[in-house]
Amino acid sequence: MGGAISLLAVNFIVAQIFVVAFLIISVKSRSGRAAAWCAAGFAVASLSAICEAVLPFTPMPRLFAVGAFANVLAGFCLLRIGLGVFYSVPAKPPVLASFFIGSVIVDLFIYDLPRGTLLHAFFYQMPFFLIQAWSAAAIIRSRRRSYADGILLCMLALSALYFLVKIYAAVAAGSGATAADYLQSPFALISQALGAMLIVGTGVAMLGVVVKDVVDEARASSEIDALSGLCNRRGFSSRVVAPLLRDLSDHDVGTLILADIDRFKLVNDTFGHHTGDEVIREFSHILADVMPHRAVAGRVGGEEFAIFLPRVGLADARVVANGIRSELAVKRINGLPEGVAVTASFGVSAVAAGELLDAAMRRADNSLYAAKAGGRNRVECAEPPIRVIASADYHRSGKYRPT
């Protein structure tokens, strides 16, 4: 019995570590609600260790035996809620509550059945199998396919399989004549040892998924311009390089548009930086509204913007640029007097297969300069490159050095 008690203590301590870890994440991440549910799940499930440890010494073994069952199952149900929140595949509360209550009632009914029999083991272990399989199904339905999601899916599937195997193991190894005898049975030591490994494995996998989400969130935040809500220069570059690499064999990869708000310094000096910020925000809204699907837009300078249009030709990109220009010219912007309009100039360049982003940016910038020199509030297009030879480093890694 001492070995089983020791493993119960280990399981309890490990569960508390996960409780603390998920609680910390719950206040540090946008996945906070999901992490809070997971923390609650581990906290509730850990109470079963206390119930099982008390079983051999209490005059009310039924209460603590059913309590141990109910705590583990309730913890798993809370984890299912947390995973549902995280993966946007929620469990219906009435269904989950009915499942939990029904399972506890069944456990009460089978309490007096001979332990170590197939009938008792089947009805005792089946709810655990079903809830773990249900959690695994949530990941499958979410269609998220990162390595972290795959590992968690495997751990949940193993956990579900573990409870199926326990049906046979409880009969083969013997789980004691009564609930109070459980900790002295050969089955208890095996069950607690394997359970500890699965708790650790599943808990680490859940933490891995949530931490990955935190890291992705931080990385995304570092690539977004706070004022405009568009990509910053770094974010724009990272999002455009992937299509350029993917479409190396295509003749027309897409088109690049550079836009610069005309006389923006004069707007700031005359009407204040608050109005200048409002101009940036309104122009960004226009970009978001006019841009085609799958286009990438970024604020790459103070009043300079870049738009990448994948699989769009030069003529169509010119139409898009003129649409943006026209929208801005008639836009009423807070902070500007009636009749004062803001305009922008545009340089458009086709991006050829294998072309470095820097080269396309330079040609678009030259066209933008021509639009400025030609009177502003206009669109100029660059001549397409006759031939592009990408560097060996670009073909290997897609990396480049921003100008």
Side-chain angles (χ1 to χ4, degrees):
M1 183 168 66
I5 290 288
S6 298
L7 285 172
L8 285 173
V10 169
N11 288 350
F12 180 82
I13 293 171
V14 169
Q16 303 317 305
I17 293 173
F18 285 121
V19 169
V20 173
F22 280 113
L23 284 177
I24 291 173
I25 292 174
S26 71
V27 298
K28 296 288 186 180
S29 167
R30 66 181 180 185
S31 305
R33 197 158 66 95
W37 281 111
C38 290
F42 277 100
V44 172
S46 70
L47 298 177
S48 67
I50 297 175
C51 291
E52 291 185 6
V54 171
L55 259 177
F57 313 104
T58 179
M60 298 180 294
R62 182 191 295 266
L63 174 63
F64 286 93
V66 175
F69 173 90
N71 281 321
V72 174
L73 188 61
F76 285 172
C77 289
L78 292 173
L79 290 175
R80 172 61 184 89
I81 294 173
L83 291 174
V85 171
F86 184 83
Y87 285 101
S88 300
V89 185
K92 295 180 179 179
V95 176
L96 196 60
S98 299
F99 168 76
F100 173 75
I101 294 171
S103 298
V104 173
I105 291 173
V106 169
D107 186 54
L108 282 168
F109 272 111
I110 66 171
Y111 180 81
D112 292 320
L113 290 177
R115 299 180 66 86
T117 62
L118 183 61
L119 186 63
H120 182 279
F122 177 83
F123 284 106
Y124 189 92
Q125 303 296 342
M126 189 53 62
F128 301 123
F129 163 76
L130 292 175
I131 190 64
Q132 295 297 78
W134 195 358
S135 296
I139 300 177
I140 296 172
R141 288 175 56 198
S142 74
R143 300 188 182 279
R144 287 181 49 151
R145 294 295 180 267
S146 72
Y147 287 118
D149 299 316
I151 292 171
L152 178 56
L153 176 60
C154 289
M155 291 306 305
L156 289 170
L158 279 174
S159 183
L161 181 61
Y162 162 73
F163 288 109
L164 276 184
V165 172
K166 281 182 73 174
I167 296 174
Y168 169 77
V171 177
S175 57
T178 65
D181 296 332
Y182 166 72
L183 291 181
Q184 301 179 34
S185 68
F187 175 68
L189 194 59
I190 299 171
S191 175
Q192 293 301 324
L194 290 176
M197 289 188 288
L198 283 172
I199 287 173
V200 172
T202 305
V204 169
M206 286 183 178
L207 276 176
V209 168
V210 177
V211 168
K212 180 182 180 299
D213 191 63
V214 172
V215 172
D216 290 345
E217 178 186 357
R219 183 168 57 188
S221 297
S222 71
E223 295 182 347
I224 298 297
D225 175 62
L227 178 60
S228 67
L230 303 176
C231 299
N232 56 25
R233 177 178 285 273
R234 174 184 174 184
F236 179 80
S237 300
S238 66
R239 285 163 175 77
V240 171
V241 165
L244 294 182
L245 283 174
R246 184 177 61 245
D247 300 331
L248 280 173
S249 60
D250 291 351
H251 178 67
D252 293 320
V253 175
T255 311
L256 185 68
I257 301 173
L258 288 186
D260 189 273
I261 297 174
D262 297 329
R263 298 185 174 91
F264 184 73
K265 184 177 184 302
L266 183 60
V267 172
N268 274 334
D269 292 344
T270 305
F271 304 106
H273 288 279
H274 177 75
T275 301
D277 289 348
E278 190 64 25
V279 170
I280 295 293
R281 279 191 288 266
E282 290 295 342
F283 187 60
S284 302
H285 293 159
I286 292 172
L287 291 183
D289 291 339
V290 175
M291 284 189 320
H293 179 60
R294 294 191 302 121
V296 180
R299 183 186 177 205
V300 295
E303 66 273 16
E304 187 173 357
F305 296 78
I307 307 103
F308 176 67
L309 308 174
R311 307 298 181 89
V312 173
L314 192 63
D316 290 336
R318 182 175 191 136
V319 172
V320 172
N322 270 308
I324 298 170
R325 182 191 61 79
S326 300
E327 285 283 333
L328 179 63
V330 299
K331 186 71 176 179
R332 178 74 176 88
I333 298 176
N334 292 333
L336 292 179
E338 191 75 33
V340 176
V342 175
T343 62
S345 301
F346 297 79
V348 185
S349 171
V351 184
E355 183 174 16
L356 295 172
L357 180 59
D358 283 353
M361 291 280 278
R362 282 193 295 271
R363 290 189 299 106
D365 193 55
N366 289 337
S367 297
L368 174 60
Y369 179 80
K372 290 282 189 182
R376 298 183 175 86
N377 191 26
R378 56 190 295 145
V379 177
E380 292 290 344
C381 294
E383 291 294 326
I386 298 175
R387 187 184 178 199
V388 176
I389 302 176
S391 69
D393 288 341
Y394 180 81
H395 282 283
R396 284 196 299 267
S397 65
K399 295 180 180 178
Y400 63 96
R401 292 185 295 274
T403 56

